[in-house]
Amino acid sequence: MEISLNQLNQRQREAVTTPYQHVRIIAGAGSGKTRVLTFRIAYLMETLSVAPYRILAITFTNKVAKEMLDRAEQLVPEVKGRLKIMTYHSFAARFLRFEIGVLNYPTSFTIIDEDDQEKLVKNIGLEMDIRKGDPLNKQALSYIRNMKTKGLYPEDISIVHERFPQEKMCLTYYQKYQEKLKRNGNLDFDDLLMKTLEILRNYPVIREKWQAKFDHILIDEFQDTNDVQYELVQYLLRPSSCLYVVGDPDQTIYTWRGANQDIILSLDKTYQIETVILDQNYRSTKTILDVANKLIDCNKHRVKKDLYSTLGDGDPIRIKKLLTQDEEALDVIQDILSRHHQGTSYAKIAILYRANYLTLPFEKMLNRFSMPYRIFGGMRFYQRQEIKDVLAYFRLLVNPRDDVAFERIVNVPRRGIGDKAWDAIKAYAASQNEAILPALLQQGRTLGLKGKVEEEINHLIETIERTQVKLHENLEIFSEILRQYLDDVGYWAYLKDLDEEDRFDNVQTLFQDLEHYLQDNPESDFNAYIENVALTSAQDEIVDADYVSLMTVHTAKGLEFDHVYVIGLNEGVFPSLRTMDDDAYMGVEEERRLCYVAFTRAKKTLSLTCSGDYSFQMDARLIPSRFFKEAGLEFPRTSPILESSSQRLGPRSTVASSYSPKQPSATLWAIGDRIHHEVFGYGEVRKVIDAMIIEVYFETMGLKKLMGNHPKLKKVTV
């Protein structure tokens, strides 16, 4: 029986039914890419009789993977439970559970998160007599992550001349970091991909075995693929394999973490491919798409397309320029409140921004009006202290060699283990070249510590061992075994003694999450749950509820809301000065893509705001972002002042935009110009970033980045 393709437009049908072996779908925002992917998967199974286990579908978040799986199973109900759609990291974790033994790693490895990475690096620093607060620790962690993004392990790196001070020290950190991970049976997120790639690259028999598993590999959000992920995919392809990728180069916004836009743009140079462009948008009004198209058309490094919509013109774009950031927040919150009074659910509203630091005035204003809201991309549920404590206890059941987990819980609740006792325990484990918990077991659990301390440690070890046996016996639901485990180690009592209901409730919520996981995945075990938690992203925690959503544009990618408010659209903020400093040309193209993503999250209305507040980050007054003009949006100039909302608490204004004077023209600067600043003194222009931003070297203050029209600046004529 063939699936019905009546729900698809002509381009979508072409994309779903294409007979080509290698296919690239350029799918514009809101063009139905998830629908195309799921129909393609259903078409392969139902029409072309491809077995579900012969299909590997890759997405970038668990949330999207689950959504695609649900849709595919609705189209082809008989494959329920047999189709696998997963993230790169989920696939790699699954692969490594079978194959990592060839690298002398235990298959019971545990995955550490960013917080664990930071602690591990600081501990390495302490071993080298570097205090925890030393900036070198942060620099070393950044170096490690950067090298892993490039697919380089310590043995791949040779430093003849240091590219920056302390590079050799950073490499030493990296070497010790990897040694500790291996000893402890840990992998970080990057290791999941790198170890998988290492095995596929160096073990032909394993590579051929996994190549033989899949006839079709389909990849979502292909524009965000990095070099390591792409190489991994290439090793999974055999000559007869079919590759089907979907993405939008205009939405490449993760180059800072390795995404390589050139992969999707130049795919036709590697494979003989069919390219299908999906340009009908089903999400946004024509007015929203017009400004988005005009903005992104300023980018040169892209596949040309213009999104169109049949949803009508809709409301005009709301643009406002306020005096201060507090004024901006008040204006936006009043508009949201007015919409809500007119019947709009808070759940249909989102406030998007370039950086997290912009939220404070908006949070204050939301609280002032008692409006429900939630911030995403900040402190996530699984990152909360009590949740990390409990998960550390759980990880030790899976991997007793996990020193990061053991160090976290050994004194939570308090077991009287002071610094001297802990140093003695670590020193003994190091002398045995062993992880801490196994070392204590080998020693017979005694290190000559004080009686009470030794008694507490022995009780902890015995409880871990007893719980491991119960989990192995599998005589009762493991959530109940784990509840008893936390009781036996004293954690429930510890939470009650803290008398903080939120923490207690959070742990109860974790158990609820665990039981829901069991219901949804009846064949999974405790190890699978721990792995699932480790691979959860910020977007996976977004659930439907009636609150205003606040999030960075990066977090919002892939989501949509009826009413979107993009705030802080100021030069140096959005576009980000830091990104443009890293790479002036490609940096502004990435920022423009990010703004394009923000605009295209909106379905019905789009509000764009900025302020003229003073920025301490840039040491200048804020001016509107270049993106207003590039999107074809201009502020009327009939009023002599910026709009103020501080006294206006009435209903939402029907005026589409505020009025403001033309910004003072910047002096035309050139490299080498002499300059005088009322505070910094005399200096010389070293860099002209654009018409408004310059970099000046001052004789007494060093290098400063300033707005070219700053009132304290004057050009000095010689």
Side-chain angles (χ1 to χ4, degrees):
M1 183 182 76
E2 292 191 6
I3 60 169
S4 172
L5 302 178
N6 293 335
Q7 301 175 47
L8 307 177
N9 65 34
Q10 182 180 344
R11 289 275 183 88
Q12 290 174 333
R13 283 196 294 273
E14 288 176 22
V16 167
T17 61
T18 177
Y20 282 77
Q21 181 182 359
H22 304 115
V23 183
R24 175 177 64 179
I25 310 298
I26 304 297
S31 63
K33 71 176 181 61
T34 303
R35 172 178 290 186
V36 166
L37 263 173
T38 50
F39 265 85
R40 175 65 176 180
I41 292 168
Y43 180 80
L44 291 175
M45 295 185 294
E46 194 74 358
T47 304
L48 301 185
S49 301
V50 177
Y53 57 83
R54 306 292 301 172
I55 297 170
L56 173 61
I58 300 290
T59 71
F60 270 78
T61 69
N62 293 320
K63 183 183 179 74
V64 174
K66 186 177 187 310
E67 179 187 348
M68 284 177 56
L69 187 60
D70 290 344
R71 289 195 195 183
E73 290 178 346
Q74 287 173 12
L75 291 170
V76 191
E78 58 268 29
V79 304
K80 190 173 179 65
R82 293 190 291 149
L83 179 66
K84 298 294 182 186
I85 301 177
M86 61 191 79
T87 65
Y88 277 111
H89 291 91
S90 296
F91 169 78
R94 179 185 175 208
F95 174 92
L96 293 172
R97 293 294 175 199
F98 290 98
E99 310 295 355
I100 201 170
V102 298
L103 302 180
N104 296 317
Y105 253 87
T107 56
S108 60
F109 63 83
T110 44
I111 304 165
I112 67 170
D113 62 17
E114 292 181 355
D115 185 45
D116 296 327
Q117 283 183 291
E118 187 176 342
K119 289 182 178 177
L120 189 55
V121 166
K122 286 180 178 179
N123 283 340
I124 291 169
L126 289 175
E127 291 173 5
M128 298 189 293
D129 295 324
I130 298 168
R131 58 185 176 82
K132 284 191 174 182
D134 195 300
L136 182 57
N137 290 317
K138 186 175 181 179
Q139 184 181 18
L141 181 55
S142 177
Y143 178 81
I144 291 168
R145 289 172 176 165
N146 187 39
M147 291 300 104
K148 289 194 170 191
T149 297
K150 295 178 179 178
L152 299 175
Y153 275 129
E155 57 269 24
D156 304 318
I157 302 168
S158 176
I159 302 174
V160 179
H161 303 290
E162 289 189 324
R163 294 170 301 151
F164 57 87
Q166 304 274 35
E167 184 181 7
K168 289 183 179 178
M169 275 295 291
C170 287
L171 180 57
T172 300
Y173 267 92
Y174 192 6
Q175 291 164 337
K176 291 180 179 292
Y177 176 86
Q178 288 304 126
E179 290 167 4
K180 284 186 177 292
L181 286 184
K182 186 165 187 176
R183 189 188 73 183
N184 299 344
N186 290 144
L187 296 177
D188 61 27
F189 264 46
D190 292 313
D191 280 325
L192 292 174
L193 300 180
M194 290 177 68
K195 296 295 182 189
T196 298
L197 183 55
E198 182 179 348
I199 294 170
L200 289 171
R201 185 190 291 142
N202 298 325
Y203 295 86
V205 173
I206 295 175
R207 179 172 67 244
E208 290 166 9
K209 178 177 74 173
W210 282 81
Q211 285 178 342
K213 288 178 180 288
F214 309 114
D215 296 321
H216 294 266
I217 297 179
L218 302 93
I219 306 173
D220 188 18
E221 302 286 9
F222 194 66
Q223 78 281 347
D224 290 331
T225 298
N226 64 32
D227 293 340
V228 172
Q229 292 163 340
Y230 184 48
E231 188 178 354
L232 190 157
V233 169
Q234 288 180 303
Y235 275 121
L236 290 173
L237 292 169
R238 61 185 191 279
S240 60
S241 301
C242 295
L243 178 65
Y244 188 97
V245 304
V246 181
D248 182 7
D250 288 339
Q251 296 186 71
T252 305
I253 60 174
Y254 292 109
T255 61
W256 51 274
R257 68 182 190 194
N260 184 353
Q261 187 188 21
D262 288 337
I263 294 174
I264 189 171
L265 290 175
S266 62
L267 199 65
D268 55 344
K269 295 180 177 64
T270 307
Y271 300 102
Q272 196 168 15
I273 65 168
E274 158 129 4
T275 297
V276 180
I277 295 177
L278 305 180
D279 52 8
Q280 182 174 353
N281 177 286
Y282 291 89
R283 175 189 300 157
S284 308
T285 65
K286 180 180 182 299
T287 299
I288 293 170
L289 293 182
D290 284 348
V291 298
N293 285 331
K294 191 171 182 64
L295 174 71
I296 200 62
D297 202 42
C298 295
N299 273 10
K300 306 305 177 190
H301 201 56
R302 63 187 293 256
V303 175
K304 172 70 176 175
K305 68 178 183 305
D306 284 315
L307 295 179
Y308 70 94
S309 172
T310 59
L311 299 177
D313 289 344
D315 290 353
I317 308 300
R318 178 181 182 272
I319 63 171
K320 287 217 170 182
K321 178 168 52 176
L322 288 305
L323 280 168
T324 67
Q325 290 172 325
D326 286 341
E327 296 281 344
E328 182 185 6
L330 177 58
D331 176 81
V332 167
I333 301 313
Q334 282 185 281
D335 197 75
I336 291 173
L337 193 60
S338 177
R339 286 197 183 281
H340 183 63
H341 287 159
Q342 294 171 21
T344 300
S345 164
Y346 285 129
K348 297 181 182 298
I349 298 171
I351 299 174
L352 308 184
Y353 39 84
R354 178 62 181 86
N356 284 308
Y357 71 82
L358 297 169
T359 66
L360 181 57
F362 292 85
E363 290 184 67
K364 290 191 296 186
M365 211 59 69
L366 285 161
N367 287 323
R368 173 179 169 184
F369 287 97
S370 301
M371 296 165 67
Y373 70 94
R374 186 172 175 190
I375 297 178
F376 296 95
M379 177 63 76
R380 307 203 320 256
F381 177 79
Y382 293 118
Q383 296 296 317
R384 293 170 186 170
Q385 179 181 329
E386 61 278 8
I387 300 303
K388 285 184 69 68
D389 288 345
V390 172
L391 291 175
Y393 271 110
F394 289 178
R395 279 162 49 187
L396 286 169
L397 298 173
V398 175
N399 175 19
R401 307 179 67 82
D402 191 336
D403 279 359
V404 175
F406 189 77
E407 182 172 356
R408 183 177 187 94
I409 58 86
V410 70
N411 229 10
V412 181
R414 297 288 299 176
R415 295 185 172 93
I417 303 169
D419 291 343
K420 287 185 178 179
W422 181 238
D423 287 344
I425 292 170
K426 289 195 294 183
Y428 175 73
S431 71
Q432 301 300 305
N433 194 28
E434 184 57 277
I436 294 171
L437 193 50
L440 291 173
L441 289 169
Q442 292 171 13
Q443 175 66 12
R445 302 174 185 175
T446 176
L447 289 170
L449 303 172
K450 291 180 180 178
K452 177 65 174 173
V453 173
E454 195 166 290
E455 182 182 325
E456 290 281 359
I457 290 179
N458 286 340
H459 174 71
L460 174 61
I461 295 171
E462 288 164 4
T463 304
I464 292 170
E465 288 181 312
R466 184 169 62 250
T467 307
Q468 285 176 316
V469 171
K470 287 183 180 180
L471 288 170
H472 180 72
E473 290 173 343
N474 198 27
L475 299 178
E476 58 182 315
I477 186 170
F478 65 73
S479 58
E480 290 307 307
I481 296 173
L482 297 173
R483 284 184 186 276
Q484 184 61 50
Y485 172 48
L486 291 189
D487 194 33
D488 291 345
V489 297
Y491 198 78
W492 288 121
Y494 162 74
L495 287 179
K496 289 175 182 176
D497 289 343
L498 288 176
D499 195 26
E500 295 182 24
E501 288 187 14
D502 284 351
R503 291 194 178 192
F504 190 87
D505 290 344
N506 284 338
V507 177
Q508 294 286 18
T509 300
L510 179 69
F511 274 93
Q512 185 179 23
D513 176 63
L514 194 157
E515 286 166 4
H516 285 163
Y517 180 84
L518 278 175
Q519 293 166 8
D520 294 340
N521 305 273
E523 297 178 2
S524 294
D525 58 13
F526 175 59
N527 294 21
Y529 174 73
I530 293 297
E531 185 174 291
N532 180 70
V533 168
L535 297 173
T536 298
S537 72
Q539 211 180 75
D540 295 325
E541 295 182 10
I542 297 175
V543 295
D544 293 330
D546 197 26
Y547 48 69
V548 178
S549 296
L550 280 72
M551 63 187 75
T552 64
V553 183
H554 284 100
T555 302
K557 187 169 179 295
L559 303 178
E560 58 183 34
F561 300 89
D562 282 1
H563 309 284
V564 168
Y565 295 79
V566 185
I567 64 169
L569 271 166
N570 290 98
E571 277 298 302
V573 178
F574 201 177
S576 163
L577 192 60
R578 183 179 301 174
T579 302
M580 293 188 293
D581 275 351
D582 290 341
D583 187 329
Y585 175 70
M586 295 307 292
V588 77
E589 288 226 342
E590 171 125 352
E591 289 294 301
R592 199 175 283 120
R593 291 194 296 268
L594 190 61
C595 193
Y596 174 79
V597 167
F599 288 5
T600 54
R601 299 312 93 198
K603 297 169 69 175
K604 295 181 179 179
T605 70
L606 177 63
S607 170
L608 312 176
T609 58
C610 63
S611 79
D613 217 336
Y614 187 84
S615 168
F616 288 95
Q617 286 93 343
M618 292 188 293
D619 188 30
R621 288 213 165 270
L622 294 168
I623 61 172
S625 169
R626 69 188 73 186
F627 296 152
F628 283 106
K629 185 175 182 180
E630 291 179 352
L633 300 169
E634 293 188 6
F635 298 98
R637 300 169 182 171
T638 57
S639 172
I641 58 169
L642 291 169
E643 181 173 341
S644 171
S645 305
S646 59
Q647 304 301 321
R648 180 173 54 79
L649 300 176
R652 179 165 58 99
S653 170
T654 57
V655 179
S657 66
S658 62
Y659 300 88
S660 65
K662 184 177 180 179
Q663 287 289 331
S665 298
T667 303
L668 292 178
W669 296 104
I671 294 173
D673 280 349
R674 290 287 293 166
I675 199 169
H676 182 264
H677 188 284
E678 290 179 16
V679 176
F680 300 149
Y682 289 94
E684 180 182 288
V685 176
R686 293 288 176 85
K687 183 194 267 186
V688 179
I689 296 171
D690 60 18
M692 282 295 186
I693 304 170
I694 58 176
E695 202 170 79
V696 181
Y697 183 82
F698 288 100
E699 296 167 1
T700 57
M701 302 297 292
L703 209 58
K704 299 284 183 182
K705 198 167 289 170
L706 306 170
M707 300 303 295
N709 63 342
H710 197 288
K712 294 185 184 295
L713 287 181
K714 288 184 181 178
K715 186 179 288 189
V716 178
T717 55
V718 180

